[in-house]
Every structure is written in structure tokens, then in C-alpha cells.
Amino acid sequence: MTIGIVGVGNMGSIFAEKFSKEAERILLVEKDSEKLSRFDAPPYEIADLEKVREADLIVLAVKPQDAPIVLGTLKGFDGILLSIVAGLKIEEIRKYGIHKVARIMPNVAVRVGEGVLATAFSADMSLEERELVKSLLEKLGFVVEIEEKLFSAVTALTGSGPAFIFVVVEAFLDAALKMGIPLDTAKELVYRLFKGSAELLIETGEHPALWKHRVSSPAGTTIEGLITMERFAVRSGVIESLISSYRRALELEEK
């Protein structure tokens, strides 16, 4: 299989790396030559928009403002186009005569193979083609097929979501320093705290409220902290942050 990557920036380069064992050739299209310097051996090949049409599957990873120019050059491409361009709908891509389209919303954790990748497919893609795309994406993390109308919500939840989690993690580190724990030790404790808590929820499938109450003892330290969180409206603040991101994603979809 030959895979093309158009746009070898932060996300495009990750796709190029993760797909390297799945393709005989990976054709890379990028106007900034410095970004291509580390892809200087097979299966990687430097290409242009005309040559990349030889690919069986193309990953479109350019900035939204650059997408129309690229799609104009790729007009009529009969392979699979996998788009990670924010706000670019499947129906817009189909106007360029490209019918086999997978729209993807990845997040930053794809770098370590633990991303969450929401996926929507055009009606023209067969079940076999959909499974092929999913099997490739599984190299980057957990794949969920959704209706395209939910993309704005997923953009806020899993696309922007890591930034909100990083703010909370940073707050834990600041508190640890305030309590006298050295930074290196705090990182080890806090990072694994978040990882372990998430793994617990994934493995048990239980609602986090159940575990919140299991950790809390009458008149204990945990309930004291939880009451403080409520007093400072931590939960409602997180919810409002996600909803505001969702509203902005909707605005971008409508442009």
C-alpha cells in the first residue's frame, strides 16, 4: 500500500511515523523542507501534489485555509482521503470529486499511541475500506466511529480536552510544591495518579461518582477537599469550559 501525507506538521508527522510499518511507500508533501529532514529514508519519499495522487490513501493534514487549494489539485482522486482538517465537512470534500472520505478528529495523545480518534465516513466507502482506515488509526490510539454532526462536540471534548486536563495536572503539581513535595517526585506521583484513575474507570466501566464516594470517609480529608471544590465551582467551571469550546467549534463548522 502507498500512503500520502499532505502537510507534515505536528499531526501529519505523527501519522507518517505511525503508518511507516503499514505501507511500502509513504509520499510526503510539505512546503517547509526542514520538516522533511528526518524523513530521509525508505519508506518515505518526498513528493508534490501531482505525485501524491499515486497513493492508495492520502492523509490531508493542512491548515483549513490551505485545504481548498490542495483539494483543487487532488480533484477527482479515486482513493481514500483521510482528512484531519478542523471544520472541513465531508460534503465539502465531495464537491472536488473525491468520494471516499474519512473525517478524523485526533488528539495530542496520538504521539504516544494513546490518542482518541473520532471517525466519520462518507456513504461511498465500503465496509472493507472503513475497516482498513480503522486498522490504520488504531496504531495511534482508540478509534470511535460517530455521526459527523457530533464532530463539534468531540472537537471540544477530546480535541481541546487534553488542554483542560493539563491545567488540572499543573494545579496538582503546584499544590504538591506548596505542600513541600519536590517537583520531580510530584511529577511521578501526579502523572501516575491521573493514569491510574483513568485505567480504573476504563477497567471497571463504573461511573466516577461511585469511586468518588468510595474514596471519601465520613469527616475525612477527601470529603473536606470535595466540599472545597464545590465551593469554588470546579465542576461547573470545567463544564462551562467544554461548552464554550463546543460553541466555538460550531462557529468554525459554519464558516
Side-chain angles (χ1 to χ4, degrees):
M1 179 170 59
T2 298
I3 295 176
I5 311 284
V6 181
V8 191
N10 289 332
M11 196 61 71
S13 63
I14 294 171
F15 275 72
E17 291 170 359
K18 298 298 182 181
F19 288 173
S20 62
K21 295 181 180 180
E22 310 304 317
E24 289 106 22
R25 301 167 68 205
I26 296 183
L27 306 177
L28 303 176
V29 181
E30 171 57 52
K31 54 188 176 183
D32 184 350
S33 59
E34 289 187 10
K35 294 179 180 179
L36 296 171
S37 59
R38 60 195 178 98
F39 299 104
D40 58 356
Y44 303 110
E45 300 177 27
I46 309 305
D48 56 25
L49 288 174
E50 288 299 330
K51 186 175 180 59
V52 82
R53 295 174 68 97
E54 299 175 8
D56 302 296
L57 179 149
I58 294 175
V59 178
L60 184 63
V62 299
K63 295 178 180 178
Q65 62 267 29
D66 295 331
I69 296 174
V70 174
L71 290 170
T73 306
L74 295 177
K75 189 173 182 178
F77 174 64
D78 60 1
I80 298 171
L81 185 79
L82 195 162
S83 172
I84 61 173
V85 180
L88 183 61
K89 296 180 180 179
I90 291 173
E91 65 183 44
E92 291 298 318
I93 297 174
R94 284 174 52 83
K95 291 177 182 178
Y96 293 88
I98 303 170
H99 300 293
K100 298 177 181 180
V101 182
R103 184 179 176 186
I104 313 298
M105 169 50 67
N107 67 8
V108 295
V110 295
R111 180 172 294 279
V112 292
E114 293 291 342
V116 177
L117 301 102
T119 310
F121 297 101
S122 64
D124 305 86
M125 288 187 63
S126 67
L127 178 60
E128 183 180 3
E129 289 167 334
R130 295 181 186 210
E131 290 304 317
L132 169 64
V133 171
K134 288 179 182 178
S135 68
L136 287 171
L137 295 178
E138 284 170 355
K139 309 302 178 186
L140 294 98
F142 183 69
V143 183
V144 181
E145 185 174 351
I146 63 170
E147 296 180 66
E148 191 179 16
K149 67 181 182 180
L150 296 175
F151 254 74
S152 294
V154 172
T155 297
L157 187 64
T158 63
S160 299
F164 308 141
I165 292 173
F166 296 148
V167 169
V168 176
V169 171
E170 184 184 26
F172 270 70
L173 291 176
D174 289 345
L177 290 173
K178 176 68 174 177
M179 293 184 287
I181 301 174
L183 181 59
D184 287 344
T185 302
K187 286 180 179 179
E188 292 178 351
L189 293 170
V190 172
Y191 296 170
R192 284 164 177 76
L193 166 66
F194 277 79
K195 180 181 179 181
S197 299
E199 289 290 348
L200 180 64
L201 293 175
I202 291 169
E203 185 173 321
T204 64
E206 293 181 320
H207 196 282
L210 292 175
W211 285 103
K212 179 186 73 174
H213 289 297
R214 286 169 182 160
V215 175
S216 303
S217 301
T221 58
T222 305
I223 193 63
E224 189 71 25
L226 289 170
I227 289 172
T228 300
M229 292 181 79
E230 294 298 326
R231 186 165 68 246
F232 283 91
V234 172
R235 280 199 301 173
S236 61
V238 171
I239 292 169
E240 286 302 317
S241 296
L242 286 162
I243 297 302
S244 63
S245 291
Y246 170 58
R247 293 193 189 102
R248 180 55 180 156
L250 286 173
E251 291 173 359
L252 294 173
E253 286 272 319
E254 293 167 1
K255 287 186 177 181

